[in-house]
């Protein structure tokens, strides 16, 4: 069933109001995992509560315990849950989004204040701001859908439950426990789930995403002297922690992207013929990556290899070294203790546990070979399992129809390289088919400087979320 034409018209007529809603959301710098922004994350939850309440949703803010930021124990951001409609004849849809964002400072290289939604002065329709695409734009999209129905006096075609969290960018701590404890309460009766927290692969082809890589994040801590030392006085005299750390970190991954930890490659599932053909069908060119990256630096010139490198193979990235000297100038210091940070994106067969066993053994073995008298520890800081769903489920068929309706073209079927660890928790604990339905484009720059969402994606994305509900209401479930 196509979306109600009144709904589509309402969205077209209220673009300015919808952009204003996103502007208000972006202005709240809800950076999770940072003591300076704890209050803003709270404010963002409150903003959602107010909006949803005024849109006729039954809303609750649920505490989910506390966590440590540095040495300070603070409450975790609340989970905002809402529900509207309980007609036993309708499909019960659960949607998820996150209201926290990655950090952003103008000095990082933003052209505008990251926490002021700024339309491109050149008239391209791009709306710049932290969270514009990840994930405030899509979350506001759901609110826009609700507003249209409320103002038009239209009933929603489905019963809707919503769950919005404020800790996604920091590992969704305790959300799994919340899902477990609400399984037979708030989440009871849910039929299917939709998460809008991903992006098209390129800048023009809509897609439906049925897989995500998982992630294991690690730290390697090397400790030596009791305090930072003068390199003139002690250089050449002691085992230096930073030298040990770099020696070990350099053994993790080759410059061509090959993971050097024995046993990992062997676990990757072989590519099936069906998979190969799925990857070959995806609309994608190297220039799409180069456009998003802003340079010609791909590991391979082959499109399918590149896509597989992102979606179905693991990757290992080195992120940083805490405790190292990094400021401008030339301080002649020997850092006393350093922590190297890296992560591995996980794929089917490479789980949190078996991967960690291989990593820990290898790092310890490589360190032992150095013959250093320093102390090394290697440990997992957080892990999320990979997820893959059945793209033939009626949930996907409904989204497919909605995509054709709004964009006039068939969506690509993609898996993604990024991670939303709770996807698997929702799928497993609640036994649900989960659909990832993107709003933004591949060059939106989530986590990067000048993150943006295109006005057309935001507005058509709102229509897409609405149309999907109508298609879901009418789809043949067999
Ligand atoms: N929206 C992203 C996940 C994503 C990234 C989906 C790229 C599709 C493509 C999400 O907000 C995110 O950034 N996730 C983190 C998870 C981590 C903090 C556990 C990620 O992927 O690094
Ligand atoms: Mn996100
Ligand atoms: Mn993110």
């Amino acid at each position: 069933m196509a979306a109600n034409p009144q709904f589509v018209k309402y969205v077209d007529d209220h673009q300015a109001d919808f952009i204003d809603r996103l502007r208000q959301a972006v202005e709240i710098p809800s950076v999770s995992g940072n003591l300076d922004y704890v209050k803003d994350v709270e404010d963002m939850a409150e903003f959602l509560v107010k909006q949803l309440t005024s849109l006729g949703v039954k809303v609750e803010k649920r505490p989910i315990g506390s966590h440590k930021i540095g040495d300070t124990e603070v409450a975790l951001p609340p989970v905002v849950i809402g529900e509207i409609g309980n007609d036993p004849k309708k499909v019960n849809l659960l949607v998820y989004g996150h209201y926290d964002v990655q950090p952003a400072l103008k000095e990082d290289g933003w052209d505008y204040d990251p926490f002021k939604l700024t339309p491109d002065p050149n008239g391209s329709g791009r709306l710049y701001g932290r969270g514009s695409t990840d994930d405030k734009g899509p979350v506001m999209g759901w609110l826009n859908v609700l507003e249209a129905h409320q103002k038009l006096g239209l009933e929603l075609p489905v019963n809707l439950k919503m769950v919005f969290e404020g800790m996604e960018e920091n590992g969704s701590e305790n959300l799994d426990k919340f899902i477990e404890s609400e399984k037979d309460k708030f989440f009871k009766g849910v039929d299917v789930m939709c998460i809008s927290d991903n992006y098209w692969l390129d800048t023009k082809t809509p897609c439906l995403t049925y897989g995500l890589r998982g992630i294991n994040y690690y730290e390697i801590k090397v400790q030596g002297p009791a305090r930072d030392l003068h390199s003139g006085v002690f250089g050449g005299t002691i085992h230096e922690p930073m030298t040990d750390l770099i020696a070990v970190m350099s053994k993790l991954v080759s410059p061509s992207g090959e993971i050097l930890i024995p046993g990992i490659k062997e676990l990757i599932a072989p590519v099936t013929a069906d998979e190969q053909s799925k990857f070959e069908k995806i609309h994608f060119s190297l220039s799409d990556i180069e456009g998003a990256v802003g340079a010609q630096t791909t590991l391979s010139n082959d499109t399918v290899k590149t896509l597989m490198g992102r979606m179905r193979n693991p990757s290992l990235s080195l992120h940083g070294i805490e405790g190292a000297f990094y400021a401008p100038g030339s301080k002649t210091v020997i850092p006393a203790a350093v922590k190297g940070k890296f992560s591995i994106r996980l794929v089917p067969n490479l789980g949190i546990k078996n991967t960690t066993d291989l990593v820990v053994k290898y790092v310890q073995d490589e360190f032992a070979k150095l013959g250093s008298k320093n102390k090394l520890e290697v440990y997992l800081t957080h892990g999320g399992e990979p997820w893959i769903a059945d793209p033939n489920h009626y949930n996907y068929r409904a989204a497919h129809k909605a995509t054709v309706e709004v964009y006039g073209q068939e969506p690509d079927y993609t898996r993604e390289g990024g991670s939303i660890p709770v996807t698997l928790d929702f799928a497993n604990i609640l036994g649900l088919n989960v659909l990832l339905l993107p709003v933004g484009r591949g060059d939106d720059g989530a986590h990067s400087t000048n993150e943006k969402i295109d006005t057309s994606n935001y507005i058509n994305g709102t229509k897409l979320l609405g149309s999907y509900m109508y298609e879901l209401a009418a789809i043949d479930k067999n």
Side-chain angles (χ1 to χ4, degrees), residues 10 35 66 76 85-87 176 202 213 261 280 288 350 386 388 401 417 432:
Y10 187 95
L35 273 184
S66 64
L76 284 161
N86 61 354
D87 183 338
D176 52 347
D202 64 6
R213 294 195 292 187
I261 302 163
E280 282 167 4
D288 290 316
L350 273 170
I388 195 150
K401 288 184 145 191
L432 295 177

Side-chain angles (χ1 to χ4, degrees), residues 8 49 52 59 66 90 117 188 191 302 325 337 365 407 429 466:
V8 180
V49 169
L52 288 164
V59 197
S66 64
K90 290 181 184 170
L117 189 74
K188 194 177 163 73
D191 297 306
D302 182 279
F325 170 61
D365 288 353
Y407 286 104
I429 300 171

Side-chain angles (χ1 to χ4, degrees), residues 98 134 168-169 197-199 215 345 416 418-421 447:
H98 63 92
D134 185 15
E168 195 278 340
E169 300 292 5
D197 185 23
N198 61 310
Y199 325 97
I215 179 170
R345 294 288 166 168
E416 254 307 348
S419 313
I420 312 170
H447 295 204

